């Protein structure tokens, strides 16, 4: 093989492109790699002007080269149009050789550039996403603080900063529960383990909280509604998000509503008393009335009484809901309390020929509860059983000690609660369809109130029922007694 | 205005202080029917004037809480400070009362506090009878 041939063989087998042109860029020589890259054959390329296969911009770049001095070289990026029309990028070193030739040596960077471009786009896109979600988080009205799995703050939105007064930089990297204090209804600091975000991280459940306060940087207590959500990825808790909003206004509206109900109810009682007393006077002196007139005046009395009951129930509810109610626990003997309730209901029990059984476990300890409130619970449950059980029914009251609680049970073999309405039974004003037919009288507030009382006394209430077979209500009271609460009003004033 | 009804000198005398005229009317009728003599006052000031001028003091005062010139508690204070009046039993019959208010009324000497709408007149009369000195009159 001659030196010339060996040289050509070498040029053709190397992966770099090699092109030699005249000073006017007419291709004098190109190697196989260049042919492959452009898709043209060597004969097609030889004699062609290199600028013909370059776009305008690249052609201009080349023209500058004409001024190159001997042996000078440049790095050049060129885009070459291949035969198929596809643009190819090449990075070239251009050398001018003895003022006659220009030699281009380089390699195909198309794939590399595409990869870079893709990467750039990805980065740009993820930056865009980031900006977008930050803008979204900043423009919502709720405060958002997110933490890592340790509870260290990693993000704070604008609202959170505005609400709490802490700058983002003061919070980032700090433990949320150490930096921002949370208070309960009595403005006592809440234990770390009871903080919603911490509970969300540990239990992996979303936690809702409506009764607490965040302490702002300037020491204000801000009532907040909080949703703490754990961030779980591949079954691992990687952090959590605390979303909260200031509910000062809602609280205020709620307070105004309660005050209004209270005031309106008191005002309503005066005409209700007058109607009650005047109809009583007519009923007492009804010797000269016809049977129909007697019936009519009795209806007026009964309807008015129903209105009084409704107003009383509304008042009680507004008291419980407003938290103004006094819980005044006294050591109470439940047997005595229930016996008194049954005694008061005896006329109604006899009228409906029911059999009431009271069973109290021997040695049931006295318990520290507010007798007025708990009496109301037994009264409500028993009144329901009496009203909603067919004549001659059996009603059982059982009280026993179960672990750390006292469990009360009131059961009847009455009308029961329709399956489809069970979930609404503790709703305000709800009365189930089967009892409305039997007994028009009733406010739909009794069970709501009973449950509210039990819960504010530290217990729980639930039931089981089957239509036409009967209903059993249970409620618990902690053996340790109900927590005492200073308030303004009691249940029946 | 002060109304005097049925001054027969036979029954016990009840002074009723209540500013709602319809309620006052109903109470008066009921008490008369049950054989009481009734003094009806719509203001606390009238009740005080009456007590000052009356030869025979009432056997019981039926007192509302919210009155146009002073509240029931203040009237109880006035009554309690007067040697001649302080032994007249007072029953407060009003339409609302917090526990605190009731406790303060009882501390000032009221015998009972009753909620109007929760009681029939019958029941209230039964209760006030238990506070009227037996054999004082009638």
């Amino acid at each position: 093989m001659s030196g010339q041939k060996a040289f050509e063989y070498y040029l053709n087998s190397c992966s770099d492109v090699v092109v030699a042109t005249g000073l006017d860029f007419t291709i004098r020589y190109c190697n196989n790699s260049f042919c492959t890259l452009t898709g043209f054959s060597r004969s097609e390329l030889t004699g062609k002007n290199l600028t013909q296969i370059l776009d305008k911009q690249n052609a201009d770049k080349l023209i500058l080269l004409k001024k190159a001095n001997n042996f000078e070289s440049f790095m050049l990026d060129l885009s070459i149009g291949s035969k198929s029309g596809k643009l190819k990028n090449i990075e070239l070193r251009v050398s001018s050789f003895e003022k006659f030739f220009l030699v281009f040596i380089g390699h195909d960077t198309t794939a590399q550039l595409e990869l870079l471009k893709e990467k750039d786009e990805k980065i740009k896109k993820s930056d865009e996403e980031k900006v977008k979600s930050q803008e979204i988080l900043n423009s919502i009205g709720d405060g958002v603080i997110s933490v890592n799995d340790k509870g260290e703050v990693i993000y704070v939105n604008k609202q959170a900063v505005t609400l709490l007064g802490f700058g983002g930089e003061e919070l980032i990297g700090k433990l949320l529960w150490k930096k921002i204090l949370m208070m309960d209804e009595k403005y006592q600091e809440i234990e770390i383990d009871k903080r919603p975000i911490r509970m969300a991280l540990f239990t992996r459940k979303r936690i809702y909280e409506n009764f607490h306060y965040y302490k702002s940087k300037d020491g204000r207590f801000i009532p907040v509604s909080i949703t703490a959500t754990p961030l779980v990825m591949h079954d691992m808790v990687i952090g959590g998000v605390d979303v909260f909003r200031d509910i000062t206004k809602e609280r205020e509206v709620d307070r105004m509503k309660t005050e209004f109900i209270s005031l309106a109810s008191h005002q309503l009682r005066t005409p209700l008393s007058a109607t009650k007393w005047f109809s009583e006077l007519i009923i007492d002196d009804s010797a000269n009335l016809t049977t129909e007139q007697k019936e009519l005046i009795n209806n007026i009395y009964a309807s008015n009484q129903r209105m009084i009951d409704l107003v009383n129930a509304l008042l009680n509810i507004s008291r419980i809901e407003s938290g103004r109610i006094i819980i005044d626990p006294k050591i109470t003997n439940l047997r005595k309390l229930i016996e008194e309730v049954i005694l008061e209901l005896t006329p109604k029990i006899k009228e409906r020929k029911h059999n009431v059984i009271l069973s109290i476990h021997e040695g049931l300890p006295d318990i520290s509860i507010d007798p007025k409130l708990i009496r109301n619970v037994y009264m409500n449950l028993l009144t329901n059983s009496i009203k909603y059980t067919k004549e001659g029914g059996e009603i059982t009251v059982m009280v026993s000690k179960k672990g750390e609680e006292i469990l009360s049970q009131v059961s009847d073999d009455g009308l029961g609660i329709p399956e489809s309405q069970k979930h609404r039974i503790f709703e305000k004003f709800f009365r189930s369809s089967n009892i409305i037919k039997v007994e028009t009288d009733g406010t739909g507030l009794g069970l709501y109130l009973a449950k509210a009382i039990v819960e504010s006394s530290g217990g729980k209430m639930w039931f089981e029922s089957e239509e036409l077979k009967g209903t059993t209500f249970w409620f618990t009271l902690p053996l340790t007694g109900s927590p005492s609460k200073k308030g303004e009003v009691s249940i029946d004033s | 205005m002060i109304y005097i009804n049925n001054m027969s000198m036979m029954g016990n005398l009840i002074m009723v202080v209540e500013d709602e005229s319809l309620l006052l009317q109903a109470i008066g009728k009921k008490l008369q029917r049950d054989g009481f003599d009734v003094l009806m006052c719509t203001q606390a000031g009238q009740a005080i004037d009456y007590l000052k001028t009356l030869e025979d003091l009432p056997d019981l005062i039926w007192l509302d809480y919210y009155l146009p010139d002073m509240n029931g508690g203040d009237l109880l204070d006035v009554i309690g400070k007067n040697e001649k009046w302080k032994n007249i039993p007072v029953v407060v019959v009003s339409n609302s009362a917090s526990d605190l208010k009731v406790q303060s009324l009882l501390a000032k000497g009221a015998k009972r506090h009753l909620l109007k709408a929760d009681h029939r007149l019958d029941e209230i009369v039964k209760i006030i009878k238990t506070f009227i000195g037996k054999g004082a009159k009638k």
Side-chain angles (χ1 to χ4, degrees), chain A residues 52-98:
Chain A
Q52 280 180 284
I53 53 172
L54 296 176
D55 60 30
K56 169 92 176 47
Q57 237 179 343
N58 283 289
D60 289 347
K61 265 193 211 169
L62 270 188
I63 293 172
L64 291 171
L65 280 174
K66 282 187 174 171
K67 292 166 186 163
N69 295 319
N70 197 16
F71 300 116
E72 242 181 349
S73 71
F74 305 88
M75 284 305 290
L76 201 61
D77 286 310
L78 290 182
S79 302
I80 288 186
S82 67
K83 197 175 179 182
S84 66
K86 212 175 155 197
L87 272 183
K88 296 280 186 172
N89 296 298
I90 24 181
E91 188 182 79
L92 292 167
R93 175 166 289 279
V94 191
S95 317
S96 131
F97 184 67
E98 290 188 344

Side-chain angles (χ1 to χ4, degrees), chain B residues 4-14 31-32 34-38 56-57 59 132-138:
Chain B
I4 307 173
N5 292 279
N6 252 12
M7 287 296 284
S8 63
M9 299 304 288
M10 291 293 291
N12 291 115
L13 178 63
I14 312 286
L31 290 173
Q32 272 178 283
D34 283 30
F36 290 99
D37 292 331
V38 191
D56 281 320
L57 290 172
D59 296 284
I132 295 173
K134 285 176 186 110
K137 287 180 183 178
K138 200 172 188 174

Side-chain angles (χ1 to χ4, degrees), chain A residues 116-372:
Chain A
L116 265 174
K117 214 169 136 191
E118 237 170 68
K119 213 169 155 188
D120 273 358
E121 259 167 25
K122 261 190 197 156
I123 291 171
K124 205 176 141 199
K125 213 169 174 185
S126 94
D127 278 354
E128 266 174 28
E129 287 296 325
K130 212 170 160 186
V131 170
K132 249 193 235 166
S133 37
Q134 285 214 351
E135 275 316 302
I136 292 170
L137 288 174
N138 276 334
S139 59
I140 58 171
D142 292 7
V144 179
I145 298 179
S146 66
V147 298
N148 61 17
D149 57 334
K150 293 188 209 92
E152 292 161 351
V153 176
I154 51 173
Y155 174 77
V156 185
N157 80 341
K158 225 192 260 171
Q159 269 300 321
V161 170
T162 316
L163 279 175
L164 299 170
F166 290 99
E169 68 288 348
E170 286 178 85
L171 297 173
I172 302 285
K174 304 278 165 50
L175 285 174
L176 174 61
W177 44 79
K178 285 222 166 138
K179 196 72 193 167
I180 303 168
L181 298 184
M182 183 177 261
M183 310 295 177
D184 65 13
E185 296 99 317
K186 292 170 191 155
Y187 302 112
Q188 297 298 310
E189 199 182 326
I190 284 172
E191 285 170 49
I192 289 170
D193 285 340
K194 299 218 168 110
R195 293 282 294 260
I197 190 71
R198 187 126 153 150
M199 281 163 72
L201 291 179
F202 279 106
T203 61
R204 297 185 173 205
K205 282 186 187 135
R206 184 169 284 176
I207 308 286
Y208 300 95
E209 175 55 62
N210 274 321
F211 301 101
H212 294 165
Y213 297 84
Y214 262 147
K215 190 177 177 184
S216 70
K217 193 181 178 184
D218 58 7
R220 282 177 306 123
F221 296 122
I222 303 162
V224 281
S225 165
I226 293 180
T227 309
T229 311
L231 299 176
V232 180
M233 213 173 173
H234 307 303
D235 212 32
M236 293 263 292
V237 177
I238 55 160
V241 185
D242 205 26
V243 179
F244 58 96
R245 81 200 141 80
D246 183 349
I247 52 170
T248 310
K249 274 198 187 124
E250 286 164 51
R251 289 262 175 100
E252 177 66 8
V253 169
D254 206 54
R255 196 187 54 76
M256 281 163 64
K257 178 205 79 179
T258 306
E259 259 181 26
F260 174 76
I261 291 177
S262 172
L263 198 76
S265 306
H266 285 142
Q267 293 301 315
L268 283 170
R269 273 177 168 173
T270 298
L272 288 170
S273 306
T275 310
K276 183 184 174 90
W277 289 351
F278 280 117
S279 38
E280 181 193 339
L281 288 172
I282 300 176
I283 291 166
D284 282 353
D285 190 22
S286 60
N288 298 324
L289 298 183
T290 66
T291 317
E292 195 192 10
Q293 284 170 327
K294 280 182 202 167
E295 201 180 297
L296 296 180
I297 189 67
N298 274 316
N299 287 345
I300 294 176
Y301 185 87
S303 302
N304 184 67
Q305 188 55 46
R306 195 172 155 196
M307 184 86 98
I308 291 171
D309 294 343
L310 191 61
V311 166
N312 284 345
L314 270 176
L315 263 173
N316 281 338
I317 281 166
S318 85
R319 287 174 185 137
I320 284 254
E321 285 182 347
S322 68
R324 291 186 306 137
I325 202 145
I326 303 165
I327 300 178
D328 183 16
K330 293 188 174 89
I331 300 292
T332 306
N333 182 314
L334 282 180
R335 173 187 285 277
K336 233 174 111 189
L337 185 137
I338 299 167
E339 279 173 350
E340 278 169 18
V341 173
I342 294 177
L343 188 71
E344 196 178 321
L345 292 170
T346 298
K348 281 180 190 161
I349 294 168
K350 279 191 177 153
E351 187 190 312
R352 297 190 58 87
K353 303 188 179 74
H354 291 318
N355 183 22
V356 177
I357 300 157
L358 175 61
S359 154
I360 308 238
H361 276 203
E362 262 178 53
L364 187 85
D366 286 354
I367 176 175
S368 170
I369 48 151
D370 187 322
K372 260 189 182 173

